[in-house]
mmCIF file of all heavy atoms in Angstrom:
data_model
loop_
_atom_site.group_PDB
_atom_site.id
_atom_site.type_symbol
_atom_site.label_atom_id
_atom_site.label_comp_id
_atom_site.label_asym_id
_atom_site.label_seq_id
_atom_site.Cartn_x
_atom_site.Cartn_y
_atom_site.Cartn_z
ATOM 1 N N ILE N 408 50.723 -41.386 -196.425
ATOM 2 C CA ILE N 408 49.679 -40.397 -196.152
ATOM 3 C C ILE N 408 49.518 -40.193 -194.652
ATOM 4 O O ILE N 408 49.413 -39.055 -194.160
ATOM 5 C CB ILE N 408 48.343 -40.829 -196.786
ATOM 6 C CG1 ILE N 408 48.418 -40.737 -198.321
ATOM 7 C CG2 ILE N 408 47.179 -39.992 -196.248
ATOM 8 C CD1 ILE N 408 48.640 -39.340 -198.857
ATOM 9 N N GLN N 409 49.514 -41.279 -193.895
ATOM 10 C CA GLN N 409 49.364 -41.164 -192.448
ATOM 11 C C GLN N 409 50.539 -40.410 -191.827
ATOM 12 O O GLN N 409 50.343 -39.570 -190.935
ATOM 13 C CB GLN N 409 49.245 -42.554 -191.820
ATOM 14 C CG GLN N 409 47.955 -43.290 -192.167
ATOM 15 C CD GLN N 409 46.729 -42.610 -191.614
ATOM 16 O OE1 GLN N 409 46.097 -41.803 -192.302
ATOM 17 N NE2 GLN N 409 46.380 -42.901 -190.380
ATOM 18 N N LYS N 410 51.748 -40.672 -192.311
ATOM 19 C CA LYS N 410 52.928 -39.981 -191.768
ATOM 20 C C LYS N 410 52.886 -38.495 -192.065
ATOM 21 O O LYS N 410 53.387 -37.673 -191.288
ATOM 22 C CB LYS N 410 54.199 -40.587 -192.352
ATOM 23 C CG LYS N 410 54.582 -41.933 -191.766
ATOM 24 C CD LYS N 410 55.874 -42.444 -192.366
ATOM 25 C CE LYS N 410 56.279 -43.785 -191.750
ATOM 26 N NZ LYS N 410 57.523 -44.309 -192.374
ATOM 27 N N GLU N 411 52.290 -38.117 -193.193
ATOM 28 C CA GLU N 411 52.246 -36.709 -193.590
ATOM 29 C C GLU N 411 51.192 -35.919 -192.833
ATOM 30 O O GLU N 411 51.180 -34.694 -192.880
ATOM 31 C CB GLU N 411 51.977 -36.605 -195.094
ATOM 32 C CG GLU N 411 53.159 -37.043 -195.953
ATOM 33 C CD GLU N 411 52.848 -37.045 -197.425
ATOM 34 O OE1 GLU N 411 51.673 -36.776 -197.794
ATOM 35 O OE2 GLU N 411 53.761 -37.324 -198.233
ATOM 36 N N LYS N 412 50.300 -36.593 -192.126
ATOM 37 C CA LYS N 412 49.281 -35.896 -191.347
ATOM 38 C C LYS N 412 49.920 -35.378 -190.063
ATOM 39 O O LYS N 412 50.454 -36.166 -189.277
ATOM 40 C CB LYS N 412 48.123 -36.829 -191.007
ATOM 41 C CG LYS N 412 47.299 -37.278 -192.204
ATOM 42 C CD LYS N 412 46.224 -38.265 -191.783
ATOM 43 C CE LYS N 412 45.414 -38.731 -192.971
ATOM 44 N NZ LYS N 412 44.407 -39.745 -192.592
ATOM 45 N N PRO N 413 49.881 -34.075 -189.830
ATOM 46 C CA PRO N 413 50.526 -33.558 -188.622
ATOM 47 C C PRO N 413 49.805 -34.052 -187.375
ATOM 48 O O PRO N 413 48.572 -34.103 -187.359
ATOM 49 C CB PRO N 413 50.382 -32.037 -188.788
ATOM 50 C CG PRO N 413 49.228 -31.857 -189.725
ATOM 51 C CD PRO N 413 49.231 -33.041 -190.634
ATOM 52 N N PRO N 414 50.535 -34.415 -186.351
ATOM 53 C CA PRO N 414 52.004 -34.455 -186.235
ATOM 54 C C PRO N 414 52.572 -35.808 -186.650
ATOM 55 O O PRO N 414 53.638 -36.203 -186.166
ATOM 56 C CB PRO N 414 52.202 -34.224 -184.742
ATOM 57 C CG PRO N 414 51.026 -34.911 -184.108
ATOM 58 C CD PRO N 414 49.871 -34.723 -185.058
ATOM 59 N N GLY N 415 51.871 -36.528 -187.525
ATOM 60 C CA GLY N 415 52.270 -37.868 -187.915
ATOM 61 C C GLY N 415 51.348 -38.884 -187.266
ATOM 62 O O GLY N 415 51.226 -38.920 -186.034
ATOM 63 N N LYS N 416 50.638 -39.669 -188.085
ATOM 64 C CA LYS N 416 49.666 -40.633 -187.573
ATOM 65 C C LYS N 416 50.105 -42.056 -187.877
ATOM 66 O O LYS N 416 50.818 -42.317 -188.840
ATOM 67 C CB LYS N 416 48.283 -40.387 -188.214
ATOM 68 C CG LYS N 416 47.807 -38.954 -188.137
ATOM 69 C CD LYS N 416 47.552 -38.499 -186.719
ATOM 70 C CE LYS N 416 46.979 -37.082 -186.691
ATOM 71 N NZ LYS N 416 46.746 -36.607 -185.332
ATOM 72 N N ARG N 417 49.634 -42.970 -187.063
ATOM 73 C CA ARG N 417 49.947 -44.374 -187.280
ATOM 74 C C ARG N 417 49.129 -44.938 -188.433
ATOM 75 O O ARG N 417 47.977 -44.547 -188.639
ATOM 76 C CB ARG N 417 49.638 -45.185 -186.021
ATOM 77 C CG ARG N 417 50.520 -44.851 -184.831
ATOM 78 C CD ARG N 417 50.089 -45.683 -183.631
ATOM 79 N NE ARG N 417 50.288 -47.111 -183.868
ATOM 80 C CZ ARG N 417 49.787 -48.063 -183.070
ATOM 81 N NH1 ARG N 417 49.043 -47.727 -182.017
ATOM 82 N NH2 ARG N 417 50.004 -49.335 -183.342
ATOM 83 N N PRO N 418 49.668 -45.886 -189.193
ATOM 84 C CA PRO N 418 48.858 -46.568 -190.205
ATOM 85 C C PRO N 418 47.766 -47.399 -189.538
ATOM 86 O O PRO N 418 47.797 -47.649 -188.335
ATOM 87 C CB PRO N 418 49.868 -47.470 -190.922
ATOM 88 C CG PRO N 418 51.212 -46.969 -190.525
ATOM 89 C CD PRO N 418 51.056 -46.343 -189.175
ATOM 90 N N TRP N 419 46.822 -47.861 -190.329
ATOM 91 C CA TRP N 419 45.732 -48.682 -189.814
ATOM 92 C C TRP N 419 46.150 -50.129 -189.621
ATOM 93 O O TRP N 419 45.363 -50.944 -189.145
ATOM 94 C CB TRP N 419 44.546 -48.625 -190.772
ATOM 95 C CG TRP N 419 43.861 -47.285 -190.778
ATOM 96 C CD1 TRP N 419 44.284 -46.126 -190.198
ATOM 97 C CD2 TRP N 419 42.621 -46.986 -191.410
ATOM 98 N NE1 TRP N 419 43.393 -45.117 -190.419
ATOM 99 C CE2 TRP N 419 42.354 -45.613 -191.170
ATOM 100 C CE3 TRP N 419 41.717 -47.721 -192.163
ATOM 101 C CZ2 TRP N 419 41.211 -44.972 -191.647
ATOM 102 C CZ3 TRP N 419 40.577 -47.092 -192.643
ATOM 103 C CH2 TRP N 419 40.319 -45.739 -192.381
ATOM 104 N N PHE N 420 47.355 -50.452 -190.005
ATOM 105 C CA PHE N 420 47.839 -51.819 -189.841
ATOM 106 C C PHE N 420 49.283 -51.790 -189.351
ATOM 107 O O PHE N 420 49.993 -50.790 -189.484
ATOM 108 C CB PHE N 420 47.753 -52.605 -191.161
ATOM 109 C CG PHE N 420 48.422 -51.915 -192.332
ATOM 110 C CD1 PHE N 420 49.814 -51.891 -192.461
ATOM 111 C CD2 PHE N 420 47.653 -51.290 -193.299
ATOM 112 C CE1 PHE N 420 50.420 -51.260 -193.535
ATOM 113 C CE2 PHE N 420 48.257 -50.646 -194.375
ATOM 114 C CZ PHE N 420 49.637 -50.625 -194.498
ATOM 115 N N ASP N 421 49.705 -52.903 -188.785
ATOM 116 C CA ASP N 421 51.106 -53.085 -188.414
ATOM 117 C C ASP N 421 51.817 -53.778 -189.562
ATOM 118 O O ASP N 421 51.329 -54.786 -190.098
ATOM 119 C CB ASP N 421 51.213 -53.933 -187.143
ATOM 120 C CG ASP N 421 50.579 -53.236 -185.947
ATOM 121 O OD1 ASP N 421 50.833 -52.024 -185.785
ATOM 122 O OD2 ASP N 421 49.832 -53.899 -185.206
ATOM 123 N N ASP N 422 52.955 -53.230 -189.967
ATOM 124 C CA ASP N 422 53.748 -53.813 -191.041
ATOM 125 C C ASP N 422 54.668 -54.871 -190.437
ATOM 126 O O ASP N 422 55.563 -54.555 -189.651
ATOM 127 C CB ASP N 422 54.568 -52.717 -191.732
ATOM 128 C CG ASP N 422 55.308 -53.217 -192.960
ATOM 129 O OD1 ASP N 422 55.360 -54.451 -193.163
ATOM 130 O OD2 ASP N 422 55.821 -52.373 -193.718
ATOM 131 N N LEU N 423 54.445 -56.126 -190.810
ATOM 132 C CA LEU N 423 55.223 -57.229 -190.251
ATOM 133 C C LEU N 423 56.408 -57.599 -191.121
ATOM 134 O O LEU N 423 57.149 -58.528 -190.808
ATOM 135 C CB LEU N 423 54.315 -58.455 -190.057
ATOM 136 C CG LEU N 423 53.070 -58.223 -189.197
ATOM 137 C CD1 LEU N 423 52.261 -59.503 -189.082
ATOM 138 C CD2 LEU N 423 53.446 -57.699 -187.820
ATOM 139 N N GLY N 424 56.602 -56.861 -192.229
ATOM 140 C CA GLY N 424 57.720 -57.122 -193.125
ATOM 141 C C GLY N 424 57.384 -58.204 -194.143
ATOM 142 O O GLY N 424 56.463 -59.009 -193.961
ATOM 143 N N GLY N 425 58.121 -58.194 -195.243
ATOM 144 C CA GLY N 425 57.912 -59.210 -196.267
ATOM 145 C C GLY N 425 56.561 -59.128 -196.940
ATOM 146 O O GLY N 425 56.052 -60.141 -197.428
ATOM 147 N N GLY N 426 55.954 -57.939 -196.955
ATOM 148 C CA GLY N 426 54.646 -57.786 -197.591
ATOM 149 C C GLY N 426 53.485 -58.231 -196.732
ATOM 150 O O GLY N 426 52.349 -58.290 -197.199
ATOM 151 N N ARG N 427 53.747 -58.539 -195.457
ATOM 152 C CA ARG N 427 52.677 -59.000 -194.560
ATOM 153 C C ARG N 427 52.240 -57.867 -193.633
ATOM 154 O O ARG N 427 53.062 -57.095 -193.149
ATOM 155 C CB ARG N 427 53.147 -60.197 -193.731
ATOM 156 C CG ARG N 427 53.484 -61.426 -194.579
ATOM 157 C CD ARG N 427 53.976 -62.556 -193.701
ATOM 158 N NE ARG N 427 55.068 -62.113 -192.832
ATOM 159 C CZ ARG N 427 55.145 -62.373 -191.525
ATOM 160 N NH1 ARG N 427 54.188 -63.068 -190.937
ATOM 161 N NH2 ARG N 427 56.167 -61.944 -190.824
ATOM 162 N N ILE N 428 50.943 -57.782 -193.407
ATOM 163 C CA ILE N 428 50.393 -56.756 -192.527
ATOM 164 C C ILE N 428 49.422 -57.378 -191.534
ATOM 165 O O ILE N 428 48.921 -58.486 -191.749
ATOM 166 C CB ILE N 428 49.659 -55.644 -193.320
ATOM 167 C CG1 ILE N 428 48.446 -56.218 -194.051
ATOM 168 C CG2 ILE N 428 50.604 -54.933 -194.275
ATOM 169 C CD1 ILE N 428 47.541 -55.163 -194.683
ATOM 170 N N HIS N 429 49.174 -56.663 -190.460
ATOM 171 C CA HIS N 429 48.166 -57.063 -189.485
ATOM 172 C C HIS N 429 47.260 -55.860 -189.246
ATOM 173 O O HIS N 429 47.697 -54.831 -188.721
ATOM 174 C CB HIS N 429 48.819 -57.506 -188.171
ATOM 175 C CG HIS N 429 47.833 -57.881 -187.113
ATOM 176 N ND1 HIS N 429 47.451 -57.021 -186.115
ATOM 177 C CD2 HIS N 429 47.128 -59.034 -186.929
ATOM 178 C CE1 HIS N 429 46.564 -57.619 -185.333
ATOM 179 N NE2 HIS N 429 46.355 -58.840 -185.804
ATOM 180 N N ILE N 430 46.005 -55.959 -189.671
ATOM 181 C CA ILE N 430 45.048 -54.864 -189.492
ATOM 182 C C ILE N 430 44.712 -54.745 -188.016
ATOM 183 O O ILE N 430 44.304 -55.724 -187.376
ATOM 184 C CB ILE N 430 43.753 -55.106 -190.294
ATOM 185 C CG1 ILE N 430 44.057 -55.234 -191.787
ATOM 186 C CG2 ILE N 430 42.751 -53.980 -190.037
ATOM 187 C CD1 ILE N 430 44.423 -53.946 -192.466
ATOM 188 N N ARG N 431 44.869 -53.561 -187.475
ATOM 189 C CA ARG N 431 44.532 -53.362 -186.069
ATOM 190 C C ARG N 431 43.017 -53.426 -185.870
ATOM 191 O O ARG N 431 42.240 -53.082 -186.765
ATOM 192 C CB ARG N 431 45.128 -52.049 -185.567
ATOM 193 C CG ARG N 431 46.639 -52.195 -185.436
ATOM 194 C CD ARG N 431 47.323 -51.005 -184.839
ATOM 195 N NE ARG N 431 47.352 -49.882 -185.758
ATOM 196 C CZ ARG N 431 46.848 -48.685 -185.481
ATOM 197 N NH1 ARG N 431 46.253 -48.474 -184.332
ATOM 198 N NH2 ARG N 431 46.932 -47.715 -186.347
ATOM 199 N N GLN N 432 42.607 -53.842 -184.702
ATOM 200 C CA GLN N 432 41.229 -54.247 -184.450
ATOM 201 C C GLN N 432 40.206 -53.187 -184.849
ATOM 202 O O GLN N 432 39.197 -53.486 -185.478
ATOM 203 C CB GLN N 432 41.060 -54.604 -182.962
ATOM 204 C CG GLN N 432 39.723 -55.245 -182.630
ATOM 205 C CD GLN N 432 39.539 -56.597 -183.283
ATOM 206 O OE1 GLN N 432 40.453 -57.401 -183.350
ATOM 207 N NE2 GLN N 432 38.337 -56.848 -183.795
ATOM 208 N N GLN N 433 40.460 -51.942 -184.490
ATOM 209 C CA GLN N 433 39.448 -50.909 -184.729
ATOM 210 C C GLN N 433 39.270 -50.564 -186.196
ATOM 211 O O GLN N 433 38.331 -49.852 -186.562
ATOM 212 C CB GLN N 433 39.768 -49.639 -183.931
ATOM 213 C CG GLN N 433 41.070 -48.938 -184.312
ATOM 214 C CD GLN N 433 42.231 -49.390 -183.467
ATOM 215 O OE1 GLN N 433 42.389 -50.583 -183.216
ATOM 216 N NE2 GLN N 433 43.062 -48.453 -183.013
ATOM 217 N N TYR N 434 40.168 -51.075 -187.054
ATOM 218 C CA TYR N 434 40.068 -50.764 -188.480
ATOM 219 C C TYR N 434 39.681 -51.977 -189.324
ATOM 220 O O TYR N 434 39.750 -51.937 -190.545
ATOM 221 C CB TYR N 434 41.392 -50.165 -188.975
ATOM 222 C CG TYR N 434 41.694 -48.868 -188.288
ATOM 223 C CD1 TYR N 434 42.787 -48.771 -187.424
ATOM 224 C CD2 TYR N 434 40.876 -47.758 -188.453
ATOM 225 C CE1 TYR N 434 43.058 -47.590 -186.762
ATOM 226 C CE2 TYR N 434 41.132 -46.583 -187.788
ATOM 227 C CZ TYR N 434 42.223 -46.496 -186.939
ATOM 228 O OH TYR N 434 42.481 -45.317 -186.288
ATOM 229 N N ARG N 435 39.254 -53.032 -188.657
ATOM 230 C CA ARG N 435 38.795 -54.194 -189.394
ATOM 231 C C ARG N 435 37.365 -53.956 -189.877
ATOM 232 O O ARG N 435 36.579 -53.274 -189.227
ATOM 233 C CB ARG N 435 38.861 -55.446 -188.529
ATOM 234 C CG ARG N 435 40.289 -55.795 -188.128
ATOM 235 C CD ARG N 435 40.373 -57.105 -187.380
ATOM 236 N NE ARG N 435 41.766 -57.464 -187.137
ATOM 237 C CZ ARG N 435 42.169 -58.667 -186.768
ATOM 238 N NH1 ARG N 435 41.293 -59.644 -186.606
ATOM 239 N NH2 ARG N 435 43.449 -58.909 -186.580
ATOM 240 N N GLU N 436 37.035 -54.533 -191.040
ATOM 241 C CA GLU N 436 35.678 -54.393 -191.553
ATOM 242 C C GLU N 436 35.305 -55.628 -192.352
ATOM 243 O O GLU N 436 36.161 -56.346 -192.884
ATOM 244 C CB GLU N 436 35.533 -53.146 -192.421
ATOM 245 C CG GLU N 436 36.268 -53.203 -193.746
ATOM 246 C CD GLU N 436 35.852 -52.079 -194.680
ATOM 247 O OE1 GLU N 436 35.188 -51.147 -194.236
ATOM 248 O OE2 GLU N 436 36.202 -52.167 -195.870
ATOM 249 N N ALA N 437 34.000 -55.864 -192.437
ATOM 250 C CA ALA N 437 33.495 -56.975 -193.226
ATOM 251 C C ALA N 437 33.564 -56.632 -194.709
ATOM 252 O O ALA N 437 33.534 -55.453 -195.098
ATOM 253 C CB ALA N 437 32.056 -57.288 -192.828
ATOM 254 N N GLU N 438 33.631 -57.648 -195.518
ATOM 255 C CA GLU N 438 33.682 -57.436 -196.961
ATOM 256 C C GLU N 438 32.333 -56.917 -197.449
ATOM 257 O O GLU N 438 31.274 -57.325 -196.976
ATOM 258 C CB GLU N 438 34.032 -58.747 -197.662
ATOM 259 C CG GLU N 438 34.404 -58.569 -199.115
ATOM 260 C CD GLU N 438 35.096 -59.791 -199.689
ATOM 261 O OE1 GLU N 438 35.957 -60.365 -198.973
ATOM 262 O OE2 GLU N 438 34.787 -60.161 -200.832
ATOM 263 N N ARG N 439 32.360 -55.993 -198.373
ATOM 264 C CA ARG N 439 31.135 -55.424 -198.946
ATOM 265 C C ARG N 439 31.245 -55.455 -200.465
ATOM 266 O O ARG N 439 32.290 -55.766 -201.025
ATOM 267 C CB ARG N 439 30.944 -53.979 -198.476
ATOM 268 C CG ARG N 439 32.085 -53.058 -198.864
ATOM 269 C CD ARG N 439 31.715 -51.598 -198.732
ATOM 270 N NE ARG N 439 32.830 -50.707 -199.008
ATOM 271 C CZ ARG N 439 33.253 -50.387 -200.224
ATOM 272 N NH1 ARG N 439 32.672 -50.919 -201.303
ATOM 273 N NH2 ARG N 439 34.262 -49.558 -200.395
ATOM 274 N N GLU N 440 30.147 -55.118 -201.093
ATOM 275 C CA GLU N 440 30.146 -55.050 -202.541
ATOM 276 C C GLU N 440 30.907 -53.810 -203.014
ATOM 277 O O GLU N 440 30.934 -52.783 -202.318
ATOM 278 C CB GLU N 440 28.710 -55.011 -203.074
ATOM 279 C CG GLU N 440 27.929 -56.289 -202.831
ATOM 280 C CD GLU N 440 28.613 -57.508 -203.434
ATOM 281 O OE1 GLU N 440 29.025 -57.438 -204.614
ATOM 282 O OE2 GLU N 440 28.757 -58.515 -202.716
ATOM 283 N N LEU N 441 31.506 -53.894 -204.179
ATOM 284 C CA LEU N 441 32.138 -52.724 -204.778
ATOM 285 C C LEU N 441 31.063 -51.722 -205.186
ATOM 286 O O LEU N 441 29.906 -52.086 -205.391
ATOM 287 C CB LEU N 441 32.958 -53.132 -205.997
ATOM 288 C CG LEU N 441 34.064 -54.174 -205.775
ATOM 289 C CD1 LEU N 441 34.825 -54.411 -207.080
ATOM 290 C CD2 LEU N 441 35.011 -53.745 -204.678
ATOM 291 N N LEU N 442 31.472 -50.475 -205.307
ATOM 292 C CA LEU N 442 30.509 -49.413 -205.616
ATOM 293 C C LEU N 442 30.928 -48.634 -206.864
ATOM 294 O O LEU N 442 31.099 -47.409 -206.814
ATOM 295 C CB LEU N 442 30.384 -48.471 -204.412
ATOM 296 C CG LEU N 442 29.816 -49.113 -203.148
ATOM 297 C CD1 LEU N 442 30.011 -48.191 -201.950
ATOM 298 C CD2 LEU N 442 28.343 -49.459 -203.325
ATOM 299 N N PRO N 443 31.115 -49.314 -207.978
ATOM 300 C CA PRO N 443 31.520 -48.590 -209.190
ATOM 301 C C PRO N 443 30.455 -47.570 -209.584
ATOM 302 O O PRO N 443 29.257 -47.821 -209.483
ATOM 303 C CB PRO N 443 31.631 -49.707 -210.241
ATOM 304 C CG PRO N 443 30.748 -50.805 -209.732
ATOM 305 C CD PRO N 443 30.862 -50.745 -208.242
ATOM 306 N N GLY N 444 30.916 -46.407 -210.026
ATOM 307 C CA GLY N 444 29.986 -45.363 -210.435
ATOM 308 C C GLY N 444 29.495 -44.472 -209.313
ATOM 309 O O GLY N 444 28.840 -43.458 -209.571
ATOM 310 N N ARG N 445 29.803 -44.821 -208.066
ATOM 311 C CA ARG N 445 29.375 -43.999 -206.933
ATOM 312 C C ARG N 445 30.526 -43.121 -206.466
ATOM 313 O O ARG N 445 31.675 -43.554 -206.402
ATOM 314 C CB ARG N 445 28.906 -44.877 -205.761
ATOM 315 C CG ARG N 445 27.659 -45.692 -206.048
ATOM 316 C CD ARG N 445 26.447 -44.831 -206.412
ATOM 317 N NE ARG N 445 26.195 -43.784 -205.426
ATOM 318 C CZ ARG N 445 25.441 -43.962 -204.340
ATOM 319 N NH1 ARG N 445 24.915 -45.157 -204.076
ATOM 320 N NH2 ARG N 445 25.226 -42.965 -203.519
ATOM 321 N N TYR N 446 30.194 -41.880 -206.113
ATOM 322 C CA TYR N 446 31.208 -40.979 -205.582
ATOM 323 C C TYR N 446 31.713 -41.485 -204.232
ATOM 324 O O TYR N 446 30.949 -42.049 -203.440
ATOM 325 C CB TYR N 446 30.625 -39.583 -205.373
ATOM 326 C CG TYR N 446 30.366 -38.780 -206.624
ATOM 327 C CD1 TYR N 446 29.772 -37.516 -206.529
ATOM 328 C CD2 TYR N 446 30.699 -39.239 -207.897
ATOM 329 C CE1 TYR N 446 29.525 -36.743 -207.652
ATOM 330 C CE2 TYR N 446 30.450 -38.486 -209.030
ATOM 331 C CZ TYR N 446 29.857 -37.230 -208.903
ATOM 332 O OH TYR N 446 29.607 -36.478 -210.014
ATOM 333 N N VAL N 447 32.974 -41.232 -203.970
ATOM 334 C CA VAL N 447 33.536 -41.467 -202.644
ATOM 335 C C VAL N 447 33.216 -40.288 -201.732
ATOM 336 O O VAL N 447 32.972 -40.446 -200.535
ATOM 337 C CB VAL N 447 35.064 -41.663 -202.729
ATOM 338 C CG1 VAL N 447 35.689 -41.777 -201.339
ATOM 339 C CG2 VAL N 447 35.388 -42.909 -203.550
#
Side-chain angles (χ1 to χ4, degrees):
I408 290 297
Q409 292 295 94
K410 284 182 179 178
E411 289 175 356
K412 293 177 181 177
K416 309 295 184 181
R417 294 178 64 192
W419 290 10
F420 53 75
D421 296 315
D422 186 349
L423 304 180
R427 297 178 308 133
I428 64 171
H429 178 262
I430 301 287
R431 288 185 288 123
Q432 189 65 41
Q433 64 267 44
Y434 297 113
R435 296 185 174 195
E436 69 168 12
E438 193 165 318
R439 60 164 176 79
E440 293 303 312
L441 302 183
L442 296 168
R445 295 300 308 272
Y446 287 177
V447 175

